[in-house]
Amino acid sequence: MKRIYVVGTADTKGEELAFLAERIRALGGDPLVVDVGTRAPAIPPEVGAAEIASFGPPGLLEGTDRGVAVAGMAAAFAAFIITRNDIAGIIGIGGGGGTSIITAGMRKLPIGLPKIMVSTLASGDVAPYVGVSDVVMVPSITDLAGLNRISRVILSNAAQAIVGMSAGGEVLPPATKMAVGLTMFGVTTPAVTQIVEHLAGSVEALVFHATGTGGKTMEMLVDSGLITGVIDITTTEVADYLIGGVLPAGPERLDAIARTRVPYVGSVGACDMVNFWAPATVPERFAGRLFYPHNDNVTLMRTTPDECRAIGEWIGAKLNACEGPVRLLIPLRGVSALDIEGGPFRDAEADAELFGAIERTVQWNANRRLITLDCHINDPAFAGAAVAAFTEIAA
């Protein structure tokens, strides 16, 4: 019998946990209250903090340093939750500490298993709590410090959501086709759309928006075995990581490709740009650079020849660690919809530095090959070459 896990710090959120469990029960769910607090609970939980703490370091609940206790309980809850096989869904409530503890465990659970976090932090930057998982963050509106007429409504709505999400018992179905991850940006959409159309019916295409989390999510799924081939046309997240944009890939980009040796077709889509938010947010050190307003909230900056060289060398070094089949496509006539003849970011010198750095850095061999194309990245010829390269190495 699967149950809905209701998780929080019962020392400070006991009243709210009891209310949430009662609402879930009234809606036909079967709640299991789990305490991740560090002090005596205000209500009797079904799974106590001591049981959770037993999955962490010795003496976890005996210290006085709150930061150490929160970090320890986060690790302990993450270790505890993956041992459970009776979870229909999980809902947590918390402030800063509780959110940190509970989402650490939620991120360990499979994609598709319902996860809701009602948090005082939900209206801010939730990336540290959601990561590359499917945790749903719900703003608590008021602080979770006793029930009131607003928090009762928020918690009741959250109870309805988790009961509804858990009722179907949906899980990821087994793959019937090869799952292929593709990276896309607005300025490379024509290329990826054409590639997906070419591959239709032969593989299951999973397209990821190259916004930092997109690349991370794709590689997490590669590591988990849910994606078994990659057509990584849009590596723009590397530019943001190296130069200081707002959509960075992080230092681990491409590491999953090396670890798993999945068939990999890559390119340098949108490496002509670095992303910032509204113009006022662009760091002053970039004053005088070439910018393009993508919209009111997104400002693009053209990468310089020196920056392009650094991007190419970074990508090249990562590809050298890849022992699986690799094909790297270079579109000589431009790498984005802005980097095209007559376009605002057309810079042949910068592109040449990008291409040359990759060609010099990568240790090319029978498994690791460079394909140079006299076309633009969004031309049909590029899409056709990408599909042909992938078909060759994925056979």
Side-chain angles (χ1 to χ4, degrees), residues 104 181 198 312:
H198 279 301

Side-chain angles (χ1 to χ4, degrees), residues 230-267:
V230 172
I231 303 179
D232 195 8
I233 296 306
T234 313
T235 45
T236 185
E237 297 162 322
V238 175
D240 278 44
Y241 169 63
L242 294 178
I243 299 162
V246 296
L247 305 177
E252 298 84 12
R253 187 69 162 88
L254 295 176
D255 288 351
I257 309 302
R259 281 191 296 270
T260 60
R261 301 188 179 190
V262 296
Y264 178 84
V265 173
S267 189

Side-chain angles (χ1 to χ4, degrees), residues 158-241:
Q160 293 185 65
I162 195 63
V163 170
M165 292 167 69
S166 303
E170 296 291 336
V171 295
L172 288 178
T176 57
K177 300 176 183 177
M178 181 182 194
V180 178
L182 303 96
T183 50
M184 187 173 76
F185 223 33
V187 291
T188 61
T189 295
V192 178
T193 300
Q194 293 173 80
I195 292 169
V196 171
E197 289 173 352
H198 279 301
L199 293 171
S202 60
V203 305
E204 182 181 17
L206 285 73
V207 180
F208 297 87
H209 206 51
T211 55
T213 55
K216 292 174 185 175
T217 302
M218 180 183 72
E219 294 204 20
M220 180 269 289
L221 293 172
V222 169
D223 267 333
S224 72
L226 293 174
I227 287 178
T228 52
V230 172
I231 303 179
D232 195 8
I233 296 306
T234 313
T235 45
T236 185
E237 297 162 322
V238 175
D240 278 44
Y241 169 63

Side-chain angles (χ1 to χ4, degrees), residues 79-107:
F80 160 82
I81 202 69
I82 61 174
T83 67
R84 312 294 287 196
N85 59 10
D86 63 340
I87 306 175
I90 180 170
I91 184 167
I93 60 173
T99 300
S100 178
I101 293 168
I102 298 164
T103 56
M106 289 180 169
R107 293 193 301 272

